[in-house]
Amino acid sequence: MRLAHKLVCVLCSSRCMQRVLILHLMLHTPQVQEQLPKIPEPPPAAVSGAADGAAAPPAADGDTATAMDTDAAAAAPATAADAIGAPGASEVAPELVDKLTKLQDILSGKTPIALTLEFLYHHNKADLQILKNIKGAVDARVSVSHSATILANALMHAGTSIDAFLRENLEWLSRATNWAKFSATAGLGVIHRGQLQQGKALMAPYLPRDGHTGSPYSEGGALYALGLITANHGAAMQQFLVESLRNSSNPIIQHGACLGLGLAALGTNDDEIFEDMKNVLYTDDAVAGEAAGIGMGLLCCGTGSDKAQEMLAYAHDTQHEKIIRGLAMGLALISYGIEEAADTLIEQMSREQDPILRYGAMYVLGLAYRGTGNNAAVQRLLHFAVTDVSDDVRRAAVLCLGFVLMGAPEQCPKIVLLLAESFNPHMRYGAAMAVGLACAGTGLREAVSLLEGMLNDNTDFVRQGASIALALVLGQQPESVVEPFRKKLMKSITNKHEEVMARMGSIMAAGILDTGGRNTNIGLRSGSGYFRRTSVVGLAVFTGYWYWYPLSYFLSLSLAPTALIGLDKHLKPPKVQLACNARPSLFAYPPPVTTEASKEVTKVEKAVLSTTARAKERQKKKDAEKQKQEAAAAGKDGKADAGAMDVDQPKAEADSKPAAAADGAASTADASKDAVGDKAAPSSDKDKPKEKEKEPSSFTMTAPCRVVPHQVKHVSFPPNSRWVPVKRGAAPWGILVLKDLRPDEPVEYAGSGAATTAAAATPGAAGDAAGRAAGQQQQPKQQEQEPAPPAPFGKFWWQLVFGVGNFSQCILQGCFDSRWTRVLLVLIVIPQCCCHNVF
């Protein structure tokens, strides 16, 4: 509180304000926020009072200092706005009120979330054609594939607030029933994640209402969606979720309310909410009890609270496996990051006879030592992986190696290499997921090579885990590396003979590759290097999809934007020019999938009957005999012609004929060469491969823009840049506070009128382009060549001699190369000529 008081007292200077704005990158982390007091919303009356300037006379500085050092300070207003509007406060300038409000929004996370939402909406590059191809390939009657497609759509549009695919396929979406409808409704929470102010209004059609009885699956899914929307920032939504939990006795609605309330109150350790969830747990309903156990773990996440013993005691009393499994995951979440403090609980749970509790002990061990690389933790997990009699425990032990080795991802593939070749498919699955969790977003070659070999495993769920893990590793990697994997996924999805589990993994992997409109990635660490608690918790609960598919939506908690957003002193994003010293294609968005490319034509061999084969053989023999007979007859005719042509010719004529033949042959050859040359000339220009333009070695970008992790080291501010980071040496990534070196010049902000003008001009340009395209399509019709005229009739000598007769002209225009020419001349032509007095 003393630090907060000093900040409030000196915020009047603009230089101090700039320095305080820098703190939002460091303060907006779970580790730091856990040690800071919660900042409630300022009452409207207080803000209005501050704006009006109505306040009592100020108190003395000595009294203020004394109050800050005593326990009475706990009763002081929690926010600066409350202090300004409270009785006894001094009149404060409106400028200071504005600065304090901005500071509060930064520390509470509202400003970063709003900037992220704006960026994801305007830079969405999700390819709907991929979803259409998946939708056309899967059978909507198979609930697993149908739900996986809805999940892929939710992940592709996470945080973008764009639900066009769902609106265009309402009939297809309506085929989701029961728990599939629950998951589909929860997917809306992933799409609209971060809408802290409008989240409730967006989900209003599905939320429980007084006097209205709707589908419990839709209502429970809507409550779950509210938790996903407001995860870790749900102070304003907690009261509504608590009331929904208390007012309903339906286990399905209670299931969604417990998950949503745990997400909204993540890590708050609120006793009242804990009691409400415990009451649901004690009803001993399998569906509601499982969610209550997970929700209690989310509520007390990372606290190491003694409430864990109450949860463990009830796990011994209940007979429902779902409840025990939910409590086991909740105990693991409570032990997040406490390291040695969890050893007692780990020892206690690992000695249980119930394999589900031993399964939970592996998660407690993995999350307690997350990212530490502790040798003792690794040894214990490996010990359970090879000695436990339960496949579930062995799979969880290998999987949790990924959590322990998150701090050193390059070590994970080496440690699990032998486990990936185990005879037990559960251990192979765990090895694949461990590599995916530890190496998420890194693109390590060792991890990629290990997982690519597991894509062809004989077990379907091992191929499923390998596809999901490889998608986690290859997020935001160059398309040249990801493209072969995309083709394998589509081949698996479109293969009707592939097992359902493997196809489900391929569909989920397709969505993970393009999360957040291709602008987000698995973010395990914050900009300051700390592990993001929300990301690790989301990945841990996500792995529970093995037993319960709706938990797969927890993966959205681990997504972080890969963006560079600069802010000026007004917290507005100006357009900033940046230089990237790399090839443009290296970090470009993947090209969109075209309809033609998505339809791969495969030739199918036709079945040939034996009778058809025999008939073809007989026909070949007949053709061969016929050709022999024709060749023999041609030989006889050639000999006869040779005998007839054996006649003496005059020397001059004999000498002239070869010369004429040679000249004719030469002229024919020249003409053919010219013709071939004329035809080959244009074709050679077309067939000649065009020389590829050399790709530049650098390019410029305009922030806000996407900057993937591997691109950060190549991005820099130009030497003559107008904007520079306030913090010297700050990496060009995330949200940066910038200093304007030319404040007298006008500032162009992102999303200003220039973009609107361009958008308004688009329809006209599109119309002109369409007109030109139509003209190009009509032009060939107008220039179509008419059919070639018939060949001219031959002029024979008798046509010139006898003139043009009626009947004789028709006859003379025929072919007179045969022996009937003389007969026609004698019988028809000569009498006609006599009648016309030709002679």
Side-chain angles (χ1 to χ4, degrees), residues 25 107 132 393 505 662 672 776 833:
L25 288 175
L107 296 177
K132 293 178 181 178
V393 178
S672 62
Q776 292 176 359
C833 293

Side-chain angles (χ1 to χ4, degrees), residues 27 58 94 198 339 373 448 451 471 545 641 660 708 741 817:
L27 293 177
Q198 302 179 359
E339 300 184 14
V448 173
L451 294 172
Y545 83 90
D641 293 341
V708 299
L741 300 181
D817 294 337

Side-chain angles (χ1 to χ4, degrees), residues 519-563:
N519 291 303
T520 60
N521 195 14
I522 304 298
L524 296 177
R525 294 180 181 270
S526 64
S528 54
Y530 291 99
F531 277 102
R532 296 177 65 240
R533 181 183 61 182
T534 308
S535 296
V536 181
V537 168
L539 287 175
V541 183
F542 163 73
T543 58
Y545 83 90
W546 177 278
Y547 301 101
W548 192 236
Y549 291 154
L551 297 181
S552 57
Y553 289 94
F554 270 81
L555 182 62
S556 62
L557 301 182
S558 62
L559 301 179
T562 53

Side-chain angles (χ1 to χ4, degrees), residues 183-203:
S183 299
T185 310
L188 294 175
V190 178
I191 296 175
H192 298 289
R193 185 181 175 225
Q195 296 284 356
L196 303 181
Q197 304 296 331
Q198 302 179 359
K200 186 176 178 181
L202 291 170
M203 301 304 301

